[in-house]
Amino acid sequence: MWRRGIVLAAVSVLLTALLFFHSTIPNRIGNLGSLLETFLPWLGVALPVLLVLAVLRRSATALIALLLPSLVWLNLFGGLLIDKTGSGGDLMVVTHNVNAENADPDGTARDLVAAGADIVALEELAENQAPRYAQDLKAAYPYHSVQGTVGLWSKYPISGVRPVDIKMGWTRAMRAAVSMPDGKVAVYVAHLPSVRVKFHAGFTAGQRDSAAGALGEAIAAEPLHSVVLLGDLNGTMNDRALASVTSQMRSTQGAAGNGMGFSWPAGTPMARIDQIMVKGVEPRSSWTLPRTGSDHLPIAARLQLPR
């Protein structure tokens, strides 16, 4: 019983090392560290497989070794399995990468209006579709601004609108101040560059990483106390490349969500690369919305602003 399952025990130890030391895996070769961190929660799928194999082998050694990755995985992601959804909140926000090739932008706009949010942020707005979204959302959201391929729609007045330079050569991020009854909230909308997995180059994310650094600098320099970031960051909260942003803001899903909140791809979500993050604001609840014509799911959150 003790001598059987040595190979299974070794696999458990290797899995533990990947989970515990993921931040030390270098990005110098194909950005392997960021690639692992993007799908890090999915390493947990190996745990029940190893458990079944250990039982079939009747190996006490494999079962005991399996405790190591199980404890580390629960420490990293167990909190996301707990329903932290609360009540209340005086501001509901939604963000959605609508997909430039969306075949039904009008239907997508109707779905977003039906969600009942106070603020809606859209990313990947195609030039020929932006006017359609503006028209479809106009009745519910009298205030809006489109900067490049991102846009913000609000039930409350907005001011101080400006593009945010994320070092791409064209506008894929913006900032606006939304005037709430109790004061102004700085709202950032961003769509960081896409990443690709290539056979010879690995996880190619150099442009995304530099854009994240520029976005983090802009948010750090924001003069307003309450800040909300809405957008498709093409990375998860575990991805070290987004540290310039994630180190200064909270994920609403992590603080007030229920489950992993995966948002992409819409058909079979495997990662949460769409984010709602806050600073100086208290998350009350966070969730994903039903699928639209996009390849991303919309995500929503209710926030409590400081009085």
Side-chain angles (χ1 to χ4, degrees):
M1 180 175 66
W2 292 100
R3 294 179 180 177
R4 288 193 295 267
I6 298 299
V7 173
L8 291 176
V11 173
S12 291
V13 172
L14 175 61
L15 185 60
T16 302
L18 288 174
L19 288 165
F20 192 81
F21 298 107
H22 66 87
S23 62
T24 65
I25 296 176
N27 264 340
R28 291 188 298 273
I29 303 174
N31 285 286
L32 288 178
S34 287
L35 177 59
L36 173 65
E37 288 165 341
T38 297
F39 300 101
L40 195 63
W42 288 98
L43 291 183
V45 173
L47 299 177
V49 176
L50 290 172
L51 175 61
V52 170
L53 293 176
V55 171
L56 291 176
R57 287 285 291 158
R58 290 182 287 180
S59 170
T61 301
L63 287 172
I64 292 174
L66 185 57
L67 289 174
L68 294 174
S70 299
L71 291 174
V72 176
W73 190 93
L74 286 172
N75 180 64
L76 289 172
F77 304 109
L80 294 174
L81 303 180
I82 301 171
D83 186 356
K84 298 181 290 296
T85 302
S87 58
D90 49 16
L91 178 65
M92 179 180 171
V93 298
V94 165
T95 182
H96 190 26
N97 179 323
V98 294
N99 187 358
E101 300 178 358
N102 191 326
D104 185 20
D106 297 319
T108 297
R110 287 193 297 269
D111 291 339
L112 294 172
V113 171
D118 301 299
I119 293 174
V120 173
L122 302 184
E123 303 86 45
E124 204 170 299
L125 284 168
E127 184 177 359
N128 64 328
Q129 291 186 349
R132 296 176 65 178
Y133 283 107
Q135 182 62 36
D136 292 339
L137 297 173
K138 182 178 180 180
Y141 301 97
Y143 309 97
H144 92 279
S145 176
V146 174
Q147 302 289 319
T149 61
V150 297
L152 180 68
W153 279 259
S154 173
K155 293 182 178 180
Y156 299 97
I158 60 176
S159 60
V161 178
R162 58 175 173 81
V164 175
D165 183 11
I166 55 173
K167 314 301 181 185
M168 292 190 61
W170 71 95
T171 301
R172 285 181 38 152
M174 63 175 289
R175 178 265 187 197
V178 179
S179 297
M180 299 292 295
D182 290 320
K184 290 186 176 182
V185 180
V187 178
Y188 286 77
V189 184
H191 183 196
L192 298 189
S194 300
V195 296
R196 298 288 185 267
V197 179
K198 298 181 180 179
F199 182 76
H200 295 292
F203 194 58
T204 58
Q207 193 176 30
R208 190 278 312 265
D209 297 351
S210 60
L215 178 62
E217 291 175 3
I219 293 173
E222 172 57 49
L224 292 180
H225 171 75
S226 300
V227 184
V228 178
L229 170 61
L230 307 167
D232 173 6
L233 303 189
N234 272 307
T236 67
M237 294 296 294
N238 301 108
D239 193 336
R240 75 194 72 172
L242 302 184
S244 61
V245 176
T246 58
S247 63
Q248 57 179 318
M249 306 190 81
R250 301 171 66 193
S251 162
T252 59
Q253 184 67 23
N258 180 18
M260 298 292 183
F262 294 149
S263 63
W264 176 87
T268 308
M270 298 185 66
R272 186 179 178 87
I273 62 174
D274 302 277
Q275 306 289 349
I276 299 176
M277 303 177 68
V278 297
K279 180 168 66 172
V281 176
E282 188 64 30
R284 294 298 190 195
S285 56
S286 186
W287 67 99
T288 57
L289 294 171
R291 186 177 182 179
T292 69
S294 173
D295 57 341
H296 292 243
L297 293 178
I299 61 174
R302 288 192 180 275
L303 312 173
Q304 183 65 54
L305 302 177
R307 299 297 183 185

